[in-house]
Amino acid sequence: MKLEQNRIDDLNLEVAVTVTADDYAENRKKRLNDFRKKAEIKGFRKGMVPMSLVEKMYGQQALVDSVNDVIAEGLNNFIQENSLRVLGEPLPAEDQQSHVWEAGNEFTFRFDIAENPEISFELSKDDEVVYYTITVTEAAKKEMKDNLLRQYGSLEEGEAAKEEDFIIVDFEQGDMKVEGTYVALRNVAEAARASFVGVKPGDVLDVNVNEAFENETDRASMLKVSKEELASLDPMFRMTVKNVKTFVPAALTEETFEKVFGVKTEAEFDAKIEERIRGEYAQEADFRFSKDAKNFLLEKADVKIAEEFLKRWVYVVNEGKFTMEDIEKDWDLFIIDYKWQMVRNYLMQKYNVQIEEADLLASAKGFAAYQFAMYGMNNVPEEQLESFAKNILSQEEQGRRILDQVENEKTFAAVREVVTLKKKKISVDKFRELK
């Protein structure tokens, strides 16, 4: 076997592999013998099929497989001996010549090989990355306080319905009567809402339900019929208001303070609000730092990639799942992510960043706590959080996402210790305007 390389540029080379009959003959003979041992052909005992018949039936397959074995071994040895940092794997040249597959022939194949670049750069205190400190304002504290009181509020009896209130009504039409239906005024069509605002218990209105409740699913639910039955109904109903329910924010009482934050006084309640805001702002600032640091590090590393080869490799390895047009469409995001993984791996090795099981569990628990909080569950027991987190990590896609997140976090934490953080105060409005 003979290998000849043609270096095209720093990242691309072409390798021509020539395989002679001497290179593959023994392998081919072995394969034919294996076929003979396993062949079950009528008229012959197993393992006793004439070799001439085996050759006729399986000769070309044995030849192709044995030549491919020789090529694979040769390329693998070439890569190892030359310490190539191979991108993906070698690909057959696009203008590959055709071959006549006959035993005894010599075969030459050309392969394109691309290398990943060697990454090497230094960081020091001379490197500056902006870190934003978001100012906590009285307006932000008041907004969160109001939101929390609304979140822990309750529906109470009201007199006249306001736009954010609910009414409990009966609908009547001839013999048909639907009792105790909840109607949220905010869900009433804008054109009809004015006639609902201000209604009191005992008020009676004639309502065109098609006009007042444009969403068919909501309308069917209120009238307690199926969507299919709506079309046959006369839309005019008499609506009798039974109750008005108004949403009242939680009162500033010890019970509320205890329920929300586990504290007893309004001063402690306000302190917890400020603590939560600072925590949320810190998370946003850390996320922004990660984004800015990532861009800074990618620019610093200046990674060059054999992009045309990589596009081909992505297309081939996915076996028709994507067209080249699909790959081109998302390429800008893909290549940034590809380069970042290389830079991150370099930094993790350089600064000895280790990922422990405890890191993954802690991140998954944080994600679980966030999900529970979205449903107003802020004091979930530790055992439940841990169980939920372990379930997240057991899911392949979610587990991969958590690992990626933790690797990013620990890499950026290492970088923060080396570079200079250029701290800059900013209002939350200006911060959120940043691109």
Side-chain angles (χ1 to χ4, degrees), residues 203-228:
D203 286 354
V204 178
L205 292 79
D206 288 325
V207 175
N208 184 317
V209 293
N210 290 357
E211 295 175 357
F213 310 108
E214 295 173 329
N215 184 291
E216 286 191 350
T217 302
D218 290 345
R219 186 160 74 245
S221 177
M222 284 189 294
L223 297 176
K224 299 179 183 177
V225 298
S226 67
K227 286 175 67 172
E228 291 71 25

Side-chain angles (χ1 to χ4, degrees), residues 399-413:
R400 216 169 31 238
R401 184 187 62 78
I402 293 291
L403 174 61
D404 188 67
Q405 177 179 308
V406 171
E407 287 186 344
N408 278 341
E409 289 172 354
K410 296 198 77 171
T411 300
F412 289 127

Side-chain angles (χ1 to χ4, degrees), residues 166-170 180-183 240-245:
F166 295 80
I167 54 177
I168 302 174
V169 303
D170 293 342
T181 294
Y182 266 77
V183 175
T240 303
V241 180
K242 310 300 288 186
N243 300 90
V244 173
K245 295 287 186 180

